[in-house]
């Protein structure tokens, strides 16, 4: 009983770690070259030297830009407790000038315990912001503006960006503007006067290297030996984990998975699945967990549909493929039956299915959405006369036939011949 | 700079002193700068069209800044002596010195002398002086690329005008500085002008501010002598509406018989006056245009030297500064960029120092364990001393500023995304400029087959397309079905080939 509880506790710990971005990105931030230390240096030097700065964080979605920024801000708030206030805006919500200034004023009021009036006009809000910037500048307090989805702020007249960056051009204000975007050319979207006021600092968030990946996996999946989880269990778990991580097959699995998308977020999703497949009986992770997770993530639903088809349905699909190859762009059930008959005749196949059985097979395919009708109007016509088309590609059909449990050789030959 | 600043003339000089500033600005001590005297007309810049001016205007300005005349007579000599004595070495490890250097190079630090813009400032000043003397209205349009010193020069002109007015016995004009981006509605500008010219009168609700102003300027003024009003409107193109009424009315205000406005508009477009104010030409009141050309390499160098002059130590190697000036002048002539690059180079030095101190501290621990303590320690200390910003620092800073992140990103993309980009390049080589996801899929699978790599399914492929379009490498159209979404390439083919040339497979593929 105690053992089960330990295992469950370990599983919960692992899963909660995988959902916590600040835990995940800590090991990547330890080296001095990392984006974490560069960002921290820039912001802290702006705070201590009381000068304005602006920076852009670029990288694909899920590469940890906001996570690293949160880590940096958390550390800076500990280091300089009264010198920093943070204002967060999002391009999805606040790209309109009125909304943006209102939100800035609201957050400034909340930060400094002032009363915020919803009735304040655009003028009032912008004057308030400028006055606050000046006051904070005199009080040696830095305001950090975090602009998420920065490229959405660059639509329209870019007034918000201009006002913020222009306010930073004066000596009296002390502010840092951090833009976060997934578009690489985010600064090309800016108007030339806004771009001139922007300081052209960019931090690229690239996918982790192989060594970083290894360190990350170890950091996330190793159980802590000195916590509430029993010591012996944790040590054994870690030993088994090390063996898996060193295995060549495991490395191959990770490489195959990361070949399509190399961001950290993508990897975390995979790890979550693999960890959830952990066998609660034995209580340890195994290579099988990772293999199952990979095959479940890289599903191909249409292939699985084909595996469930009957032989007749496969015949119909292959006939439709042949019609498409013969450049008959629109065909209906009748033409498919003609093709089927001609194949049967030329290859002297023995099975014979009645018309209505074939029609039912056709309808099954329609229901499973492997084929569909091309016209949207006609409920008037009956099923046999409406033009239809395939919804799977020939490549997928071929793959499906190959992995079918007892596919008749004739079908494979037919597919190979045409393709 | 506050968006709206109504400066009363008597407090113009005391303003810098009244608000306690955390940094002592050099502009506090010298209210009127010695630029008209210290940089004589002899200096000719190859780019700006210096108006050949007779001696009289300069000498009049000289007389007007009489309070600072002694100081300004001294300063050329002082500057000369500075350049003769060798400067001290800069110690970048000293935080005070580092802070002073960074401050000198920051965009928001207004330099005490605004060099390289004397010609333009003189023209604007003369225009304003003529208006104030003759008590006539006039309009002026200042244009130029961003970062060429327009707003900075207008501030200077304002100060010079106040001095001259008080010296010459004219009434100092009211000043209204507006940044047109801060207006909620474009017609609010008239309300602000009215508020400035008649601060105590309540505006009648029936007439709009514009009409009020027009009435005011059509009637003979009170004998108490209303002052002239100097209106500086920054970022004028924000006032352009569809029917161009506001801009038009603003400039028309200066054409009324009893108008008291001197209007200075600042914008980026050179032909704003021609395109949007055609009617003014027929009335023969087209605004005078002063163009601020982009800085040339010599001008940038001069400005950088000017900023560094007051520091008692040499910070930059001369070749480094020259490289920076050359590069920025060739690219855009934007002064902010030049300052940004210099600051970036200083940060390179800081980073190098941190790196070497870290290595040094780890190596000295080793040394302490391995060797006996000898006199090797001071030698090691000396070896790592960096006391100037060298050329290689500047090169790295320039490449960071001007390099686009696209090549780096493409090189670090995962394999399938690179193959997809490659197949897009091959597909678009034939002259087609866009295609569907289904077509792209076919090409992609061919390339995968040739490389014996198992291709990903169509679902994964459409999510890869979406990821690439989020990053700005592809553009994805809208469609109900995934397969028929239109795809275009947003990156140059040359960039992709350059980025992928390190991998043999792609090199062969893209030949």
């Amino acid at each position: 009983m105690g053992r089960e509880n330990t295992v469950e506790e370990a599983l919960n710990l692992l899963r909660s770690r995988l959902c916590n971005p600040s835990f995940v990105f800590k090991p990547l931030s330890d080296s001095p070259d990392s984006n974490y230390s560069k960002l921290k240096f820039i912001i802290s030097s702006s705070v201590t030297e009381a000068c304005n700065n602006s920076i852009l964080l670029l990288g694909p979605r899920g590469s940890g830009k906001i996570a690293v920024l949160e880590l940096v801000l958390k550390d800076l708030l500990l280091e300089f407790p009264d010198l920093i206030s943070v204002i967060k805006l999002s391009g999805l919500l606040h790209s309109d000038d009125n909304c943006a200034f209102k939100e800035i004023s609201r957050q400034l009021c909340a930060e400094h315990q002032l009363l915020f009036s919803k009735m304040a006009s655009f003028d009032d809000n912008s004057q308030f912001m400028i006055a606050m910037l000046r006051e904070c500048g005199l009080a040696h307090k830095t305001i950090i503006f975090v602009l998420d989805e920065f490229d959405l702020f660059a639509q329209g007249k870019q007034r918000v960006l201009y006002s913020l960056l222009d306010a930073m051009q004066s000596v009296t204000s002390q502010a840092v503007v951090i833009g976060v975007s997934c578009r690489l050319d985010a600064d090309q979207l800016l108007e030339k006067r806004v771009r001139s006021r922007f300081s052209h600092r960019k931090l690229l968030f690239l996918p982790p290297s192989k060594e970083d990946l290894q360190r990350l996996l170890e950091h996330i999946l190793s159980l802590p030996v000195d916590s509430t989880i029993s010591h012996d269990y944790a040590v054994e778990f870690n030993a088994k984990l090390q063996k898996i991580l060193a295995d060549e097959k495991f490395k191959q699995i990770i490489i195959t998975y990361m070949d399509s998308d190399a961001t950290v977020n993508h990897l975390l999703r995979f790890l979550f699945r693999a960890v959830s497949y952990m066998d609660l009986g034995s209580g340890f992770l195994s290579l099988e967990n990772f293999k199952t997770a990979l095959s479940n993530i890289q599903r191909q639903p249409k292939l699985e549909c084909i595996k469930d088809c009957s032989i007749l349905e496969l015949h119909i699909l292959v006939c439709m493929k042949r019609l498409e190859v013969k450049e008959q762009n629109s065909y209906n059930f009748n033409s498919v039956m003609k093709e089927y008959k001609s194949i049967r005749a030329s290859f002297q196949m023995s099975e014979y299915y009645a018309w209505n059985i074939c029609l039912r097979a056709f309808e099954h395919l329609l229901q499973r959405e492997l084929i569909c009708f091309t016209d949207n109007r006609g409920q008037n016509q009956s099923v046999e006369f409406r033009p239809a088309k395939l919804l799977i590609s020939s490549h997928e059909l071929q793959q499906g036939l190959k992995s079918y449990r007892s596919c008749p050789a004739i079908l494979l030959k037919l597919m190979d011949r045409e393709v | 700079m506050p968006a709206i600043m109504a400066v009363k003339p008597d407090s113009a000089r005391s303003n810098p002193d009244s608000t306690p500033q955390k940094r002592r600005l050099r502009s506090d001590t010298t209210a009127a700068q010695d630029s008209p005297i210290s940089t004589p007309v002899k200096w000719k810049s190859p780019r700006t069209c210096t108006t050949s001016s007779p001696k009289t205007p300069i000498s009049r300005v000289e007389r007007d800044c009489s309070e600072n005349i002694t100081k300004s007579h001294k300063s050329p000599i002082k500057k000369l002596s500075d350049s003769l004595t060798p400067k001290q070495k800069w110690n970048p490890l000293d935080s005070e010195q580092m802070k002073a250097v960074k401050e000198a190079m920051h965009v928001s630090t207004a330099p005490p002398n605004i060099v390289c813009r004397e010609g333009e400032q003189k023209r604007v000043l003369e225009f304003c002086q003529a208006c104030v003397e003759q008590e006539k209205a006039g309009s002026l349009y200042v244009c130029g690329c961003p970062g060429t010193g327009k707003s900075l020069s207008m501030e200077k002109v304002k100060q010079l005008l106040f001095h001259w007015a008080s010296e010459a016995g004219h009434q100092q004009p009211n000043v209204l500085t507006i940044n047109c981006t801060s207006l909620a509605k474009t017609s609010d500008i008239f309300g602000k002008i009215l508020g400035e010219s008649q601060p105590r009168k309540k505006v009648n609700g029936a007439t709009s501010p514009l009409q009020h102003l027009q009435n005011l300027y059509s009637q003979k003024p009170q004998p108490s002598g209303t002052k002239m009003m100097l209106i500086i409107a920054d970022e004028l193109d924000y006032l352009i509406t569809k029917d161009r009424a506001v801009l038009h009315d603003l400039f028309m205000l200066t054409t009324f018989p009893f108008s008291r406005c001197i209007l200075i508009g600042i914008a980026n477009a050179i032909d704003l006056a021609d395109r949007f104010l055609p009617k003014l030409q027929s009335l023969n009141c087209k605004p005078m245009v002063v163009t601020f050309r982009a800085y040339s390499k010599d001008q940038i160098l001069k400005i950088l030297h000017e900023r560094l002059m007051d520091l008692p130590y040499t910070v930059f190697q001369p070749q480094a500064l020259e490289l920076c000036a050359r590069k920025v002048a060739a690219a855009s002539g934007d002064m902010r960029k030049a300052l940004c690059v210099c600051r970036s180079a200083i940060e390179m030095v800081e980073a190098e120092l941190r790196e070497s101190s870290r290595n040094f501290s780890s190596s000295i621990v080793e040394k302490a364990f391995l060797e006996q303590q000898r006199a090797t320690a001071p030698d090691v200390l000396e070896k790592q001393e960096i006391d100037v910003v060298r050329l290689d620092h500047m090169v790295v800073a320039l490449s960071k500023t001007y390099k686009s992140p696209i090549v780096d990103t493409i090189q670090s993309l995962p394999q399938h995304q690179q193959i997809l980009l490659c197949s897009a390049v091959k597909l678009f080589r034939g002259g087609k400029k866009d295609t569907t996801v289904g077509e792209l899929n076919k090409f992609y699978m061919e390339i995968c087959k040739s490389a014996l790599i198992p291709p990903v399914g169509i679902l994964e492929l459409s999510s890869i397309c979406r990821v690439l379009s989020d990053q700005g490498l592809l553009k994805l159209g809208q469609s109900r079905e995934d397969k028929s979404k239109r795809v275009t390439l947003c990156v140059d083919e040359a960039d992709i080939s350059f980025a992928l040339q390190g991998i043999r497979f792609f090199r062969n593929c893209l030949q």
Side-chain angles (χ1 to χ4, degrees), chain A residues 49 52 61 138 157 159 162 166 169-171 182-184 193 196 199-201 206-207 259-260, chain B residues 1 20 102 106-108 179 183 235 237-238 334 336-337 340 343 347 412 414-417 470-471:
Chain A
E49 290 163 10
N52 300 323
R61 284 192 203 282
L138 292 172
K157 279 202 163 182
R159 259 170 155 196
Y162 181 84
D166 200 37
Q169 299 282 300
S170 78
V171 180
C182 59
R183 277 194 73 149
L184 297 175
R193 46 181 160 217
S196 162
S199 89
H200 291 101
R201 264 180 250 259
L206 297 173
D259 257 349
S260 57
Chain B
M1 184 161 82
K102 280 198 181 171
H106 200 264
V107 181
S108 58
N179 193 319
L183 298 171
E235 311 294 350
D237 41 338
Y238 273 95
D334 185 346
R336 290 191 186 111
K337 214 54 181 293
C340 192
R343 291 191 74 218
E347 277 169 20
S412 63
Q415 193 185 48
H416 284 285
Q417 295 186 9
D470 270 346
Q471 293 195 275

Side-chain angles (χ1 to χ4, degrees), chain A residues 184-249:
Chain A
L184 297 175
D185 56 347
D187 63 332
Q188 304 299 321
L189 297 171
L190 299 174
E191 260 192 357
K192 55 179 195 280
R193 46 181 160 217
V194 180
R195 199 170 348 144
S196 162
R197 288 167 165 82
F198 194 76
S199 89
H200 291 101
R201 264 180 250 259
K202 288 184 234 178
L203 274 185
L204 269 190
F205 280 74
L206 297 173
S209 63
K210 287 216 171 74
E211 302 82 25
D212 282 340
L213 213 55
Q214 196 70 9
R215 263 196 312 155
L216 188 68
L217 287 168
E218 271 181 36
H219 171 77
I220 297 178
L221 295 175
S222 310
L223 288 178
V225 280
D226 51 356
S227 73
T228 53
I229 306 177
S230 93
H231 178 86
D232 301 326
Y233 169 68
V235 165
E236 210 185 330
F237 185 92
N238 290 345
K240 287 223 161 84
L241 180 69
Q242 286 297 333
K243 242 196 319 187
I244 296 179
L245 290 181
D247 193 351
E248 268 310 309
K249 290 201 209 131

Side-chain angles (χ1 to χ4, degrees), chain A residues 51, chain B residues 23 26 97-112 303-304 306-311 313 315-316 339 342-343 346:
Chain A
C51 59
Chain B
R23 284 183 273 162
R26 277 163 289 184
Q97 292 191 359
M98 182 62 90
K99 190 169 172 166
V101 169
K102 280 198 181 171
E103 211 178 292
M105 281 282 133
H106 200 264
V107 181
S108 58
T109 319
I303 296 174
L304 287 175
E306 186 74 29
R307 281 197 176 224
L308 292 170
M309 188 150 54
D310 283 332
L311 296 171
Y313 30 77
V315 182
F316 288 90
L339 291 171
C342 290
R343 291 191 74 218
I346 296 175

Side-chain angles (χ1 to χ4, degrees), chain A residues 85-180:
Chain A
S85 55
V86 182
I87 307 281
K88 294 198 182 143
L89 294 176
S90 164
L92 291 168
L93 302 168
H94 307 126
S95 59
D96 176 43
D97 314 321
N98 286 330
C99 290
F101 279 112
K102 203 175 205 175
E103 183 63 22
I104 294 177
S105 309
R106 190 187 66 79
Q107 290 194 22
L108 281 172
C109 286
E111 183 96 15
H112 296 100
Q113 278 108 31
L114 302 167
L115 281 177
F116 172 69
S117 150
K118 285 194 200 159
M119 294 298 129
S121 70
F122 176 74
D123 255 346
D124 294 337
N125 283 334
S126 62
Q127 294 220 26
F128 174 66
M129 179 185 93
I130 290 170
M132 278 302 281
L133 277 173
R134 206 170 347 150
E135 290 304 314
C136 286
L138 292 172
H140 295 269
K141 218 175 177 207
T142 310
I143 303 187
I144 299 183
F145 289 94
V146 176
L147 300 175
D148 208 355
E149 310 288 343
F150 186 75
D151 43 304
L152 294 177
F153 279 107
Q155 292 170 349
K157 279 202 163 182
Q158 303 183 5
R159 259 170 155 196
V160 181
L161 288 178
Y162 181 84
S163 325
L164 279 180
L165 291 173
D166 200 37
M168 284 181 16
Q169 299 282 300
S170 78
V171 180
T172 51
S173 62
Q174 218 172 305
V176 179
V177 172
I178 304 177
V180 178

Side-chain angles (χ1 to χ4, degrees), chain B residues 72-138:
Chain B
S72 34
H73 269 318
K74 271 197 204 139
S75 42
I77 304 169
K78 178 168 150 239
K79 283 173 196 164
L80 195 59
S81 64
D82 266 346
S83 57
L84 286 181
T85 57
K87 291 198 172 174
Q88 309 164 20
K89 276 191 177 245
W90 175 46
N91 180 11
L93 292 168
D94 180 5
S95 62
E96 274 302 312
Q97 292 191 359
M98 182 62 90
K99 190 169 172 166
V101 169
K102 280 198 181 171
E103 211 178 292
M105 281 282 133
H106 200 264
V107 181
S108 58
T109 319
N113 310 326
I114 302 180
V115 292
C116 303
R117 287 297 176 209
E118 296 80 12
E120 288 87 354
Q121 281 178 19
K122 199 150 49 68
R123 276 180 75 190
V124 179
L125 188 63
E126 277 169 9
F127 170 80
C128 294
Q129 286 168 349
C131 285
V132 171
E133 270 185 355
Q134 300 161 13
E135 297 208 347
K136 252 179 47 126

Side-chain angles (χ1 to χ4, degrees), chain B residues 160-388:
Chain B
L160 288 176
L161 190 67
F162 284 151
H163 276 291
W164 168 84
S166 54
E167 295 302 318
H170 298 287
Q171 266 191 331
Q172 285 187 338
N174 288 340
V175 176
L176 176 63
T177 316
I178 301 184
N179 193 319
C180 300
T181 49
S182 65
L183 298 171
K185 250 183 337 144
T186 47
S187 42
D188 284 348
I189 189 169
F190 299 116
K192 301 231 186 317
I193 299 177
L194 191 61
E196 183 59 30
S197 65
Q198 304 193 318
R200 274 176 230 107
K201 257 201 188 165
K202 286 264 175 150
V203 176
N204 192 356
T207 48
S208 73
L210 173 61
Q211 287 171 331
H212 212 90
L213 282 171
Q214 287 172 337
N215 291 342
L216 190 66
Y217 291 144
S218 321
Q219 305 159 358
K220 201 152 165 65
Q222 311 290 335
S224 56
T226 43
K227 296 187 198 172
M228 301 295 292
M229 179 140 82
L230 178 63
I231 306 171
I232 301 182
D234 219 339
E235 311 294 350
L236 201 62
D237 41 338
Y238 273 95
L239 289 182
I240 297 176
T241 51
K242 240 187 180 168
D243 57 352
R244 306 168 191 175
V246 176
L247 199 59
H248 217 261
D249 289 331
L250 184 64
F251 275 87
M252 290 291 277
L253 276 180
T254 58
T255 63
F256 285 98
F258 298 104
S259 168
R260 320 288 293 169
C261 306
I262 309 173
L263 177 64
I264 300 182
I266 308 179
N268 293 130
I270 294 184
D271 56 353
L272 197 89
D274 297 326
R275 266 196 296 151
F276 294 107
L277 305 169
K279 285 197 207 142
L280 289 184
Q281 187 156 20
S282 55
L283 288 170
N284 208 19
C285 334
K286 239 180 76 163
M288 187 165 105
V289 178
V290 177
T291 314
F292 277 61
R293 289 225 166 80
Y295 287 117
S296 68
K297 174 200 137 217
D298 297 320
Q299 289 176 313
I300 296 182
L301 209 48
K302 190 160 192 279
I303 296 174
L304 287 175
H305 277 306
E306 186 74 29
R307 281 197 176 224
L308 292 170
M309 188 150 54
D310 283 332
L311 296 171
Y313 30 77
T314 40
V315 182
F316 288 90
Q317 260 185 354
Q319 300 99 310
L321 275 183
E322 184 157 342
L323 176 67
C324 170
R326 216 181 268 277
K327 195 75 197 277
V328 174
S332 55
D334 185 346
M335 198 59 219
R336 290 191 186 111
K337 214 54 181 293
L339 291 171
C340 192
V341 170
C342 290
R343 291 191 74 218
S344 191
I346 296 175
E347 277 169 20
M348 296 286 125
V349 171
E350 270 189 305
E352 198 178 310
L353 281 173
R354 271 184 309 154
E355 180 87 30
S356 62
S357 75
R358 213 191 3 251
N359 291 345
F360 174 65
S361 58
S362 62
S363 71
I364 211 175
V365 166
E366 277 178 34
K367 271 196 191 293
F369 280 145
L370 296 175
E371 284 187 3
Q372 307 233 338
Q373 305 276 356
R374 281 194 290 166
T376 51
D379 296 332
V380 183
L381 264 174
E382 232 182 298
K383 240 181 279 183
Q384 62 167 12
E385 198 173 288
I386 306 167
D387 58 351
V388 274

